[in-house]
Structures are given as C-alpha cells and as structure tokens.
Coordinates of all heavy atoms in Angstrom, one line a residue:
M1 N 0.8 -1.2 0.0 CA 0.0 0.0 0.0 C 0.9 1.3 0.0 O 0.6 2.2 -0.7 CB -0.9 0.0 1.2 CG -1.9 1.1 1.3 SD -3.3 1.0 0.1 CE -4.3 -0.3 0.6
E2 N 2.0 1.2 0.8 CA 2.8 2.4 0.8 C 3.4 2.7 -0.5 O 3.4 3.9 -0.9 CB 4.0 2.1 1.8 CG 5.0 3.3 1.9 CD 6.2 3.0 2.8 OE1 6.2 1.9 3.5 OE2 7.1 3.8 2.8
S3 N 3.9 1.7 -1.3 CA 4.5 2.0 -2.6 C 3.4 2.6 -3.6 O 3.7 3.5 -4.3 CB 5.2 0.8 -3.2 OG 4.3 -0.2 -3.4
K4 N 2.2 2.0 -3.5 CA 1.2 2.5 -4.4 C 0.8 4.0 -4.1 O 0.6 4.8 -5.0 CB -0.1 1.6 -4.3 CG -1.2 2.0 -5.3 CD -0.7 1.9 -6.7 CE -1.8 2.2 -7.7 NZ -1.3 2.2 -9.1
L5 N 0.7 4.3 -2.8 CA 0.4 5.7 -2.4 C 1.5 6.6 -2.8 O 1.3 7.7 -3.3 CB 0.2 5.7 -0.9 CG -1.1 5.1 -0.3 CD1 -1.0 5.0 1.2 CD2 -2.3 6.0 -0.7
K6 N 2.8 6.2 -2.7 CA 3.9 7.0 -3.2 C 3.8 7.3 -4.7 O 4.1 8.4 -5.2 CB 5.2 6.4 -2.9 CG 5.6 6.5 -1.4 CD 7.0 5.9 -1.2 CE 7.4 6.1 0.3 NZ 8.7 5.5 0.6
E7 N 3.4 6.3 -5.5 CA 3.2 6.4 -6.9 C 2.2 7.5 -7.3 O 2.2 8.1 -8.3 CB 2.7 5.1 -7.6 CG 3.8 4.1 -7.7 CD 3.2 2.8 -8.3 OE1 2.2 2.9 -9.0 OE2 3.7 1.7 -8.0
L8 N 1.2 7.6 -6.4 CA 0.1 8.5 -6.7 C 0.2 9.9 -6.1 O -0.7 10.7 -6.2 CB -1.2 7.9 -6.1 CG -1.6 6.6 -6.8 CD1 -2.8 5.9 -6.0 CD2 -2.0 6.8 -8.2
I9 N 1.4 10.2 -5.6 CA 1.6 11.6 -5.1 C 1.4 12.6 -6.2 O 2.1 12.4 -7.3 CB 3.0 11.8 -4.4 CG1 3.1 11.0 -3.1 CG2 3.4 13.2 -4.2 CD1 4.4 10.9 -2.5
G10 N 0.6 13.6 -6.0 CA 0.3 14.6 -7.0 C -0.6 14.2 -8.2 O -0.8 15.0 -9.1
Q11 N -1.0 13.0 -8.2 CA -1.9 12.5 -9.3 C -3.3 12.9 -9.1 O -3.8 12.9 -8.0 CB -1.8 11.0 -9.5 CG -0.4 10.5 -9.8 CD 0.1 11.0 -11.2 OE1 -0.7 10.9 -12.1 NE2 1.3 11.4 -11.3
P12 N -4.1 13.2 -10.2 CA -5.5 13.5 -10.1 C -6.4 12.3 -10.0 O -5.9 11.2 -10.3 CB -5.8 14.3 -11.4 CG -4.8 13.6 -12.4 CD -3.6 13.3 -11.6
N13 N -7.6 12.5 -9.6 CA -8.7 11.5 -9.6 C -8.4 10.3 -8.7 O -8.8 9.2 -9.0 CB -8.9 11.0 -11.1 CG -9.2 12.1 -12.0 OD1 -10.0 13.0 -11.7 ND2 -8.6 12.1 -13.1
V14 N -7.8 10.5 -7.6 CA -7.5 9.5 -6.6 C -8.6 9.5 -5.5 O -9.0 10.5 -5.0 CB -6.2 9.7 -5.9 CG1 -5.9 8.6 -4.8 CG2 -5.1 9.6 -7.0
W15 N -9.2 8.3 -5.2 CA -10.2 8.2 -4.2 C -9.6 7.2 -3.2 O -9.0 6.2 -3.5 CB -11.5 7.6 -4.7 CG -12.3 8.4 -5.6 CD1 -11.8 9.4 -6.4 CD2 -13.7 8.3 -5.9 NE1 -12.9 10.0 -7.2 CE2 -14.0 9.3 -6.8 CE3 -14.7 7.5 -5.4 CZ2 -15.3 9.5 -7.3 CZ3 -16.0 7.7 -5.8 CH2 -16.3 8.6 -6.8
L16 N -9.8 7.5 -1.9 CA -9.3 6.7 -0.8 C -10.5 6.2 0.1 O -11.3 7.1 0.4 CB -8.3 7.4 0.1 CG -7.0 7.9 -0.6 CD1 -6.2 8.6 0.4 CD2 -6.2 6.8 -1.2
F17 N -10.5 5.0 0.4 CA -11.5 4.5 1.4 C -10.8 4.5 2.7 O -9.9 3.7 3.0 CB -12.0 3.1 1.1 CG -13.2 2.7 2.0 CD1 -14.5 3.0 1.6 CD2 -13.0 2.1 3.2 CE1 -15.6 2.7 2.4 CE2 -14.1 1.8 4.0 CZ -15.4 2.1 3.6
V18 N -11.2 5.4 3.6 CA -10.6 5.6 4.9 C -11.4 4.9 6.0 O -12.6 5.2 6.2 CB -10.4 7.1 5.3 CG1 -9.7 7.2 6.6 CG2 -9.6 7.7 4.2
K19 N -10.8 3.9 6.7 CA -11.6 3.1 7.6 C -12.2 3.9 8.7 O -13.3 3.7 9.1 CB -10.7 2.0 8.2 CG -10.2 0.9 7.2 CD -9.3 0.0 7.9 CE -8.5 -0.9 7.0 NZ -7.5 -1.7 7.7
S20 N -11.4 4.8 9.3 CA -11.9 5.6 10.4 C -13.0 6.5 10.0 O -13.9 6.9 10.9 CB -10.8 6.5 11.0 OG -10.3 7.4 10.1
S21 N -13.1 6.9 8.8 CA -14.3 7.7 8.3 C -15.4 6.8 7.8 O -16.5 7.3 7.5 CB -13.8 8.6 7.2 OG -12.8 9.5 7.6
N22 N -15.1 5.5 7.6 CA -16.0 4.6 7.0 C -16.6 5.0 5.7 O -17.8 5.0 5.5 CB -17.1 4.2 8.1 CG -17.8 2.9 7.7 OD1 -17.3 2.1 7.0 ND2 -19.1 2.8 8.0
G23 N -15.8 5.6 4.9 CA -16.3 6.0 3.6 C -15.2 6.5 2.6 O -14.0 6.5 3.0
W24 N -15.6 6.8 1.4 CA -14.7 7.2 0.4 C -14.4 8.7 0.5 O -15.4 9.5 0.7 CB -15.3 6.9 -1.0 CG -15.3 5.5 -1.3 CD1 -16.3 4.6 -1.2 CD2 -14.1 4.7 -1.8 NE1 -15.9 3.3 -1.6 CE2 -14.6 3.4 -2.0 CE3 -12.8 5.1 -2.2 CZ2 -13.7 2.4 -2.5 CZ3 -12.0 4.1 -2.7 CH2 -12.4 2.8 -2.8
L25 N -13.2 9.1 0.3 CA -12.8 10.5 0.1 C -12.4 10.7 -1.3 O -11.5 10.0 -1.8 CB -11.7 10.9 1.0 CG -11.9 10.8 2.5 CD1 -10.7 11.1 3.3 CD2 -13.1 11.7 2.9
K26 N -13.2 11.5 -2.1 CA -13.0 11.6 -3.5 C -12.0 12.7 -3.9 O -11.9 13.7 -3.2 CB -14.4 12.0 -4.1 CG -15.5 11.0 -3.8 CD -16.8 11.5 -4.3 CE -17.9 10.5 -3.9 NZ -19.2 11.0 -4.3
N27 N -11.3 12.5 -5.0 CA -10.4 13.4 -5.6 C -9.4 14.0 -4.5 O -9.3 15.2 -4.4 CB -11.2 14.5 -6.2 CG -12.0 14.0 -7.4 OD1 -11.5 13.2 -8.2 ND2 -13.2 14.5 -7.5
V28 N -8.8 13.1 -3.8 CA -7.8 13.5 -2.8 C -6.5 13.9 -3.5 O -6.2 13.4 -4.6 CB -7.5 12.4 -1.7 CG1 -8.8 12.1 -1.0 CG2 -6.8 11.2 -2.3
E29 N -5.7 14.7 -2.9 CA -4.3 15.0 -3.4 C -3.4 14.5 -2.4 O -3.3 15.0 -1.3 CB -4.2 16.5 -3.6 CG -2.8 16.9 -4.0 CD -2.5 18.4 -4.0 OE1 -3.5 19.2 -3.7 OE2 -1.4 18.8 -4.3
I30 N -2.7 13.4 -2.7 CA -1.7 12.8 -1.8 C -0.5 13.7 -1.8 O 0.1 14.0 -2.8 CB -1.3 11.4 -2.2 CG1 -2.6 10.5 -2.2 CG2 -0.3 10.8 -1.3 CD1 -2.4 9.1 -2.7
L31 N -0.1 14.2 -0.6 CA 1.0 15.1 -0.4 C 2.3 14.5 0.0 O 3.3 14.8 -0.5 CB 0.6 16.2 0.6 CG -0.7 17.0 0.4 CD1 -1.0 17.8 1.6 CD2 -0.5 17.8 -0.9
D32 N 2.2 13.5 0.9 CA 3.4 12.9 1.5 C 3.1 11.5 2.0 O 2.0 11.2 2.5 CB 4.0 13.8 2.6 CG 5.4 13.4 3.0 OD1 6.1 12.8 2.2 OD2 5.7 13.6 4.2
V33 N 4.1 10.6 1.8 CA 3.9 9.2 2.3 C 5.2 8.9 3.0 O 6.3 8.9 2.4 CB 3.7 8.2 1.2 CG1 3.6 6.8 1.7 CG2 2.4 8.6 0.4
K34 N 5.1 8.6 4.3 CA 6.2 8.1 5.1 C 6.1 6.6 5.4 O 5.1 6.0 4.9 CB 6.3 8.9 6.4 CG 6.4 10.4 6.3 CD 7.8 10.8 6.1 CE 7.9 12.3 6.2 NZ 8.7 13.0 5.3
S35 N 6.9 6.0 6.2 CA 6.9 4.6 6.4 C 5.6 4.1 6.9 O 5.1 3.0 6.5 CB 8.0 4.2 7.4 OG 7.8 4.8 8.6
D36 N 4.8 4.8 7.7 CA 3.5 4.3 8.2 C 2.4 5.3 8.2 O 1.3 5.0 8.6 CB 3.7 3.7 9.6 CG 4.2 4.7 10.6 OD1 4.6 5.8 10.2 OD2 4.0 4.4 11.8
I37 N 2.7 6.5 7.6 CA 1.6 7.5 7.5 C 1.5 8.1 6.1 O 2.5 8.1 5.4 CB 1.8 8.7 8.6 CG1 3.1 9.4 8.3 CG2 1.8 8.1 10.0 CD1 3.3 10.7 9.1
V38 N 0.3 8.6 5.8 CA 0.1 9.3 4.6 C -0.6 10.7 4.9 O -1.5 10.7 5.8 CB -0.8 8.5 3.6 CG1 -2.1 8.1 4.2 CG2 -1.0 9.2 2.3
T39 N -0.2 11.7 4.2 CA -0.9 13.0 4.3 C -1.5 13.4 3.0 O -0.8 13.3 2.0 CB 0.2 14.1 4.8 OG1 0.8 13.7 6.0 CG2 -0.5 15.4 4.9
F40 N -2.7 13.9 3.1 CA -3.4 14.2 1.8 C -4.4 15.3 2.1 O -4.8 15.6 3.2 CB -4.1 13.0 1.2 CG -5.1 12.3 2.2 CD1 -6.4 12.7 2.2 CD2 -4.7 11.3 3.0 CE1 -7.3 12.0 3.1 CE2 -5.5 10.6 3.8 CZ -6.9 11.0 3.9
R41 N -4.9 16.0 1.0 CA -5.9 17.0 1.1 C -7.1 16.5 0.3 O -7.0 15.8 -0.7 CB -5.4 18.3 0.4 CG -4.4 19.1 1.2 CD -4.2 20.4 0.5 NE -3.1 21.1 1.2 CZ -2.0 21.6 0.7 NH1 -1.9 21.5 -0.6 NH2 -1.1 22.1 1.4
Y42 N -8.3 17.0 0.8 CA -9.5 16.7 0.1 C -10.5 17.8 0.4 O -10.4 18.6 1.4 CB -10.1 15.3 0.5 CG -10.5 15.2 2.0 CD1 -11.8 15.3 2.3 CD2 -9.5 15.0 3.0 CE1 -12.2 15.2 3.6 CE2 -9.9 14.9 4.3 CZ -11.3 15.0 4.6 OH -11.6 14.9 5.9
E43 N -11.5 17.9 -0.4 CA -12.6 18.9 -0.3 C -13.9 18.2 0.2 O -14.1 17.0 -0.2 CB -12.9 19.6 -1.6 CG -11.8 20.6 -2.0 CD -12.2 21.3 -3.3 OE1 -13.4 21.2 -3.8 OE2 -11.4 22.0 -3.8
H44 N -14.6 18.9 1.0 CA -16.0 18.5 1.4 C -16.9 19.6 1.1 O -16.6 20.7 1.6 CB -16.0 18.0 2.8 CG -17.4 17.6 3.2 ND1 -18.0 16.5 2.8 CD2 -18.3 18.3 4.0 CE1 -19.2 16.4 3.3 NE2 -19.5 17.5 4.0
E45 N -18.0 19.4 0.4 CA -18.9 20.5 0.0 C -20.3 20.2 0.5 O -20.8 19.1 0.4 CB -18.9 20.6 -1.5 CG -19.6 21.8 -2.0 CD -19.4 22.0 -3.5 OE1 -18.4 21.5 -4.1 OE2 -20.3 22.6 -4.1
S46 N -20.8 21.2 1.1 CA -22.2 21.1 1.6 C -23.0 22.2 0.8 O -22.4 22.9 0.0 CB -22.4 21.3 3.1 OG -22.0 22.6 3.4
E47 N -24.3 22.3 1.1 CA -25.1 23.3 0.4 C -24.6 24.7 0.8 O -24.7 25.7 0.1 CB -26.5 23.2 0.8 CG -27.2 22.0 0.1 CD -28.7 21.9 0.4 OE1 -29.3 23.0 0.7 OE2 -29.2 20.8 0.3
A48 N -24.1 24.9 2.0 CA -23.7 26.2 2.6 C -22.3 26.6 2.3 O -21.9 27.8 2.2 CB -24.0 26.3 4.1
E49 N -21.3 25.6 2.2 CA -19.9 25.9 2.1 C -19.1 24.8 1.5 O -19.5 23.7 1.4 CB -19.4 26.3 3.4 CG -19.4 25.2 4.5 CD -19.1 25.7 5.9 OE1 -18.8 26.8 6.1 OE2 -19.1 24.8 6.8
K50 N -17.9 25.2 1.1 CA -16.9 24.2 0.6 C -15.8 24.2 1.6 O -15.2 25.3 1.9 CB -16.5 24.6 -0.8 CG -15.5 23.6 -1.4 CD -15.0 24.1 -2.8 CE -15.8 23.6 -3.9 NZ -15.2 24.0 -5.2
R51 N -15.4 23.1 2.1 CA -14.2 23.0 3.0 C -13.1 22.2 2.4 O -13.3 21.2 1.7 CB -14.7 22.3 4.3 CG -15.8 23.0 5.0 CD -16.2 22.2 6.2 NE -17.3 22.8 6.9 CZ -18.1 22.2 7.8 NH1 -17.8 21.0 8.1 NH2 -19.1 22.9 8.3
L52 N -11.9 22.7 2.7 CA -10.7 22.0 2.2 C -10.0 21.5 3.5 O -9.7 22.3 4.4 CB -9.7 23.0 1.5 CG -8.4 22.4 1.0 CD1 -8.7 21.3 -0.1 CD2 -7.6 23.5 0.3
W53 N -9.7 20.2 3.5 CA -9.1 19.5 4.7 C -7.8 19.0 4.3 O -7.5 18.6 3.2 CB -10.0 18.4 5.1 CG -11.4 18.7 5.6 CD1 -12.5 18.8 4.8 CD2 -11.8 19.1 6.9 NE1 -13.6 19.2 5.6 CE2 -13.2 19.4 6.9 CE3 -11.1 19.2 8.1 CZ2 -13.9 19.7 8.0 CZ3 -11.8 19.5 9.2 CH2 -13.2 19.8 9.2
E54 N -6.9 18.9 5.3 CA -5.6 18.2 5.2 C -5.6 17.2 6.3 O -5.9 17.5 7.4 CB -4.4 19.1 5.3 CG -3.1 18.4 5.0 CD -2.0 19.4 4.9 OE1 -2.0 20.3 4.0 OE2 -1.0 19.3 5.6
K55 N -5.4 15.9 5.9 CA -5.5 14.8 6.9 C -4.2 14.0 6.9 O -3.7 13.8 5.8 CB -6.7 14.0 6.5 CG -6.9 12.8 7.5 CD -8.2 12.0 7.1 CE -8.5 10.9 8.0 NZ -9.3 11.2 9.1
T56 N -3.8 13.6 8.0 CA -2.6 12.7 8.2 C -3.2 11.5 8.9 O -3.8 11.6 10.0 CB -1.5 13.3 8.9 OG1 -1.0 14.5 8.2 CG2 -0.3 12.3 9.1
T57 N -3.0 10.3 8.3 CA -3.5 9.1 9.0 C -2.5 7.9 8.7 O -1.6 8.0 7.9 CB -4.9 8.7 8.4 OG1 -5.5 7.7 9.2 CG2 -4.8 8.3 7.0
R58 N -2.7 6.9 9.5 CA -1.9 5.7 9.3 C -2.2 5.0 7.9 O -3.3 5.0 7.5 CB -2.1 4.7 10.4 CG -1.7 5.1 11.8 CD -2.1 4.1 12.8 NE -3.2 3.2 12.6 CZ -4.5 3.6 12.9 NH1 -4.7 4.8 13.4 NH2 -5.5 2.8 12.6
I59 N -1.2 4.5 7.3 CA -1.4 3.8 6.0 C -2.4 2.6 6.2 O -3.2 2.3 5.4 CB -0.1 3.4 5.4 CG1 0.7 4.6 4.9 CG2 -0.3 2.4 4.2 CD1 2.1 4.4 4.3
D60 N -2.3 2.0 7.4 CA -3.1 0.9 7.7 C -4.6 1.3 7.8 O -5.5 0.5 7.7 CB -2.8 0.3 9.1 CG -1.4 -0.4 9.1 OD1 -0.9 -0.7 7.9 OD2 -0.9 -0.7 10.1
N61 N -4.9 2.6 7.9 CA -6.2 3.1 7.9 C -6.8 3.2 6.5 O -8.0 3.5 6.4 CB -6.3 4.5 8.6 CG -7.6 4.9 9.0 OD1 -8.5 4.1 9.2 ND2 -7.8 6.2 9.1
I62 N -6.0 3.1 5.5 CA -6.5 3.2 4.1 C -6.8 1.7 3.7 O -6.0 0.9 3.6 CB -5.4 3.7 3.2 CG1 -4.9 5.1 3.7 CG2 -5.9 3.8 1.7 CD1 -5.9 6.2 3.7
A63 N -8.1 1.5 3.4 CA -8.6 0.1 3.0 C -8.5 -0.1 1.5 O -8.1 -1.2 1.1 CB -10.0 -0.1 3.5
E64 N -8.8 0.9 0.7 CA -8.8 0.8 -0.7 C -8.4 2.1 -1.4 O -8.5 3.2 -0.8 CB -10.2 0.4 -1.2 CG -10.7 -0.9 -0.8 CD -12.1 -1.2 -1.4 OE1 -12.2 -1.1 -2.7 OE2 -13.0 -1.5 -0.7
I65 N -7.8 1.9 -2.6 CA -7.5 3.1 -3.4 C -8.1 2.9 -4.8 O -8.1 1.8 -5.3 CB -6.0 3.2 -3.7 CG1 -5.2 3.3 -2.3 CG2 -5.6 4.3 -4.6 CD1 -3.7 3.1 -2.5
E66 N -8.8 3.9 -5.3 CA -9.3 3.9 -6.6 C -8.8 5.1 -7.4 O -8.7 6.2 -6.8 CB -10.8 3.9 -6.7 CG -11.5 2.6 -6.2 CD -12.9 2.5 -6.5 OE1 -13.5 3.4 -7.1 OE2 -13.6 1.5 -6.0
V67 N -8.5 4.9 -8.7 CA -8.0 5.9 -9.5 C -8.9 5.9 -10.8 O -9.0 4.9 -11.5 CB -6.5 5.8 -9.9 CG1 -6.1 6.9 -10.8 CG2 -5.7 5.6 -8.7
R68 N -9.6 7.0 -11.0 CA -10.4 7.1 -12.2 C -9.5 7.4 -13.4 O -8.7 8.3 -13.5 CB -11.4 8.3 -12.1 CG -12.4 8.3 -13.3 CD -13.4 9.5 -13.2 NE -12.7 10.7 -13.4 CZ -13.0 11.8 -12.7 NH1 -13.9 11.9 -11.9 NH2 -12.3 12.9 -13.0
L69 N -9.5 6.4 -14.4 CA -8.6 6.5 -15.5 C -9.2 7.2 -16.7 O -8.5 7.9 -17.4 CB -8.2 5.1 -15.9 CG -7.5 4.2 -14.9 CD1 -7.3 2.8 -15.4 CD2 -6.2 4.9 -14.4
L70 N -10.5 7.1 -16.9 CA -11.1 7.7 -18.1 C -12.6 7.9 -17.8 O -13.2 7.1 -17.1 CB -10.9 6.7 -19.2 CG -11.5 7.1 -20.6 CD1 -10.8 8.3 -21.2 CD2 -11.4 5.9 -21.5
T71 N -13.1 9.0 -18.4 CA -14.5 9.2 -18.3 C -15.0 9.5 -19.7 O -14.4 10.4 -20.4 CB -14.8 10.5 -17.4 OG1 -14.3 10.2 -16.1 CG2 -16.3 10.7 -17.3
L72 N -16.0 8.8 -20.2 CA -16.6 9.0 -21.5 C -18.0 9.3 -21.3 O -18.7 8.7 -20.6 CB -16.4 7.8 -22.4 CG -15.0 7.5 -22.9 CD1 -15.0 6.1 -23.6 CD2 -14.5 8.6 -23.8
P73 N -18.5 10.2 -22.1 CA -20.0 10.5 -22.1 C -20.8 9.3 -22.6 O -20.3 8.6 -23.5 CB -20.1 11.7 -23.0 CG -18.9 11.8 -23.8 CD -17.8 11.1 -23.1
K74 N -22.0 9.2 -22.2 CA -22.8 8.1 -22.6 C -23.4 8.4 -24.0 O -23.7 7.4 -24.8 CB -24.0 7.8 -21.7 CG -23.5 7.2 -20.4 CD -24.7 6.8 -19.6 CE -24.4 6.0 -18.4 NZ -25.6 5.6 -17.6
N75 N -23.5 9.6 -24.4 CA -24.1 10.0 -25.7 C -23.1 9.5 -26.8 O -22.0 9.9 -26.9 CB -24.2 11.5 -25.7 CG -24.8 12.0 -27.0 OD1 -24.5 11.6 -28.1 ND2 -25.7 13.0 -26.9
D76 N -23.6 8.7 -27.7 CA -22.8 8.1 -28.8 C -22.2 9.2 -29.7 O -21.1 9.0 -30.1 CB -23.6 7.1 -29.6 CG -23.9 5.8 -28.9 OD1 -23.2 5.5 -27.9 OD2 -24.9 5.2 -29.2
Q77 N -22.9 10.2 -29.9 CA -22.4 11.3 -30.8 C -21.2 12.0 -30.1 O -20.2 12.3 -30.8 CB -23.5 12.3 -31.1 CG -23.0 13.4 -32.1 CD -22.5 12.8 -33.4 OE1 -23.2 11.9 -34.0 NE2 -21.4 13.2 -33.9
Q78 N -21.3 12.2 -28.8 CA -20.1 12.8 -28.1 C -18.9 11.9 -28.2 O -17.8 12.4 -28.4 CB -20.5 13.1 -26.7 CG -21.4 14.3 -26.5 CD -21.8 14.5 -25.1 OE1 -22.1 13.5 -24.3 NE2 -21.8 15.7 -24.6
V79 N -19.1 10.6 -28.0 CA -18.0 9.7 -28.1 C -17.4 9.7 -29.5 O -16.2 9.7 -29.7 CB -18.5 8.2 -27.7 CG1 -17.4 7.2 -28.0 CG2 -18.9 8.2 -26.2
Q80 N -18.3 9.7 -30.5 CA -17.8 9.7 -31.9 C -17.0 11.0 -32.2 O -16.0 10.9 -32.8 CB -18.9 9.5 -32.9 CG -18.5 9.3 -34.3 CD -17.6 8.1 -34.4 OE1 -17.9 7.0 -33.9 NE2 -16.5 8.2 -35.1
D81 N -17.5 12.1 -31.7 CA -16.7 13.4 -31.8 C -15.4 13.3 -31.2 O -14.4 13.8 -31.8 CB -17.5 14.5 -31.2 CG -18.8 14.9 -32.0 OD1 -18.9 14.4 -33.2 OD2 -19.6 15.6 -31.5
I82 N -15.3 12.7 -30.0 CA -14.0 12.6 -29.3 C -13.1 11.7 -30.1 O -11.9 12.0 -30.3 CB -14.2 12.0 -27.9 CG1 -14.9 13.1 -27.0 CG2 -12.8 11.6 -27.3 CD1 -15.3 12.6 -25.7
K83 N -13.6 10.5 -30.6 CA -12.8 9.6 -31.5 C -12.2 10.3 -32.7 O -11.1 10.2 -33.1 CB -13.6 8.4 -31.8 CG -13.8 7.4 -30.7 CD -14.6 6.2 -31.2 CE -14.9 5.3 -30.1 NZ -15.7 4.1 -30.5
N84 N -13.1 11.1 -33.4 CA -12.7 11.8 -34.6 C -11.6 12.8 -34.3 O -10.6 13.0 -35.0 CB -13.9 12.6 -35.2 CG -14.9 11.6 -35.8 OD1 -14.6 10.5 -36.1 ND2 -16.1 12.1 -36.0
R85 N -11.7 13.6 -33.1 CA -10.7 14.5 -32.8 C -9.4 13.8 -32.5 O -8.3 14.3 -32.8 CB -11.1 15.4 -31.5 CG -12.1 16.5 -31.9 CD -12.4 17.3 -30.8 NE -13.6 16.8 -30.2 CZ -14.1 17.0 -29.0 NH1 -13.4 17.7 -28.2 NH2 -15.2 16.5 -28.6
L86 N -9.4 12.7 -31.8 CA -8.2 11.9 -31.5 C -7.6 11.4 -32.8 O -6.4 11.4 -32.9 CB -8.5 10.7 -30.5 CG -8.8 11.1 -29.1 CD1 -9.3 9.9 -28.3 CD2 -7.6 11.7 -28.4
S87 N -8.4 10.9 -33.7 CA -7.9 10.5 -35.0 C -7.1 11.6 -35.7 O -6.1 11.4 -36.3 CB -9.0 9.9 -35.9 OG -9.5 8.7 -35.3
K88 N -7.7 12.8 -35.7 CA -7.1 13.9 -36.4 C -5.8 14.3 -35.7 O -4.8 14.6 -36.4 CB -8.0 15.1 -36.4 CG -9.2 15.0 -37.3 CD -10.1 16.2 -37.3 CE -11.3 16.0 -38.2 NZ -12.3 17.1 -38.1
L89 N -5.7 14.2 -34.4 CA -4.5 14.5 -33.7 C -3.4 13.5 -34.0 O -2.3 13.8 -34.2 CB -4.7 14.5 -32.2 CG -5.5 15.8 -31.6 CD1 -5.8 15.6 -30.1 CD2 -4.6 17.0 -31.8
L90 N -3.8 12.2 -34.1 CA -2.8 11.2 -34.4 C -2.3 11.3 -35.8 O -1.1 11.1 -36.1 CB -3.5 9.8 -34.2 CG -3.7 9.4 -32.8 CD1 -4.5 8.1 -32.7 CD2 -2.4 9.2 -32.0
E91 N -3.2 11.7 -36.7 CA -2.7 12.0 -38.1 C -1.7 13.1 -38.2 O -0.8 13.0 -38.9 CB -4.0 12.3 -39.0 CG -4.8 11.1 -39.3 CD -6.1 11.5 -40.0 OE1 -6.2 12.7 -40.5 OE2 -7.0 10.6 -40.2
Q92 N -2.0 14.2 -37.4 CA -1.0 15.3 -37.4 C 0.3 14.9 -36.8 O 1.3 15.3 -37.3 CB -1.6 16.4 -36.5 CG -2.8 17.1 -37.2 CD -3.4 18.2 -36.3 OE1 -3.0 18.4 -35.1 NE2 -4.4 18.9 -36.8
E93 N 0.3 14.0 -35.8 CA 1.5 13.5 -35.2 C 2.4 12.7 -36.2 O 3.6 12.8 -36.2 CB 1.2 12.6 -34.0 CG 0.7 13.3 -32.8 CD 1.9 14.0 -32.0 OE1 2.9 13.4 -31.9 OE2 1.6 15.2 -31.6
E94 N 1.7 11.9 -37.1 CA 2.4 11.1 -38.0 C 3.1 11.9 -39.1 O 4.0 11.4 -39.7 CB 1.4 10.1 -38.6 CG 0.9 9.0 -37.6 CD -0.1 8.1 -38.2 OE1 -0.6 8.3 -39.3 OE2 -0.5 7.2 -37.5
R95 N 2.6 13.1 -39.4 CA 3.1 13.9 -40.5 C 4.4 14.5 -40.1 O 5.1 14.7 -39.4 CB 2.2 15.0 -40.8 CG 0.9 14.4 -41.5 CD 0.0 15.5 -41.8 NE -1.3 14.9 -42.2 CZ -2.4 15.6 -42.3 NH1 -2.4 16.9 -42.1 NH2 -3.5 15.1 -42.6

C-alpha cells in the first residue's frame, strides 16, 4: 500500500476508502507518504460551504485506493466526436 500511495503523489482522480471515516474521500491530493503515515488534502462540499481539509493518517487506515482512469460521455455522438478529434491529432503526429 505504501508504494502505491507514493506512486500517486500529485496524481489527479484518486479516491481513498478511509476506515476511520467509514467512507470514500473523492479526488484527494496525496501530499506525502512516510513509512507508516500518509498526508493528503480533500474537499468536502455542503449546500452552505466548501471546506478544504488536510489529513494525516496511518497507512493501515487506508482500506482501498481507486483511480479514475477515463470518463466518456454516454451519448454516442459525443463519443464519436472525441474519437474523430483523437484520430485527427494522431494523423497530425504522423506527419
């Protein structure tokens, strides 16, 4: 777990399942990983305000890590438009 957390320092779209919170923290920014602790930032938003937290916890307190790799719209036309743009970019690269 420690090595995976180190790999994800500064990476976007990281979600952590924290046992002490009994839930997922979405889009965390991992700041530092030491031998048995991890420090990260995350946002919590309610109807009234947006809060930015920095948390330090034991690595053993992290049960799961998820990283969102890709998001595609469900609309077929949007997906086709993205594919067309990528194809054009690849053609430009080959020239």
Side-chain angles (χ1 to χ4, degrees):
M1 186 70 73
E2 178 184 353
S3 62
K4 185 62 178 178
L5 288 166
K6 283 183 179 180
E7 285 177 29
L8 295 172
I9 291 175
Q11 298 296 316
N13 304 315
V14 176
W15 291 26
L16 299 178
F17 189 90
V18 180
K19 294 176 194 175
S20 62
S21 300
N22 196 30
W24 287 97
L25 298 178
K26 303 172 185 179
N27 296 317
V28 303
E29 178 186 358
I30 299 174
L31 302 172
D32 192 26
V33 180
K34 301 276 191 222
S35 61
D36 61 346
I37 62 169
V38 58
T39 301
F40 55 91
R41 284 191 188 126
Y42 65 99
E43 288 184 7
H44 177 74
E45 191 171 333
S46 69
E47 288 184 25
E49 61 190 0
K50 183 187 267 187
R51 297 177 184 164
L52 181 63
W53 297 90
E54 186 169 302
K55 180 176 181 89
T56 300
T57 191
R58 297 179 326 277
I59 291 175
D60 292 345
N61 194 27
I62 307 297
E64 294 183 55
I65 301 170
E66 288 192 7
V67 180
R68 186 179 69 215
L69 300 177
L70 180 65
T71 303
L72 289 175
K74 285 185 172 183
N75 181 318
D76 288 337
Q77 184 58 47
Q78 287 177 313
V79 172
Q80 190 57 48
D81 290 345
I82 291 170
K83 287 179 180 178
N84 291 339
R85 281 185 265 160
L86 288 172
S87 293
K88 288 178 185 177
L89 286 172
L90 289 171
E91 288 174 11
Q92 289 176 356
E93 287 283 321
E94 291 175 354
R95 292 181 191 165

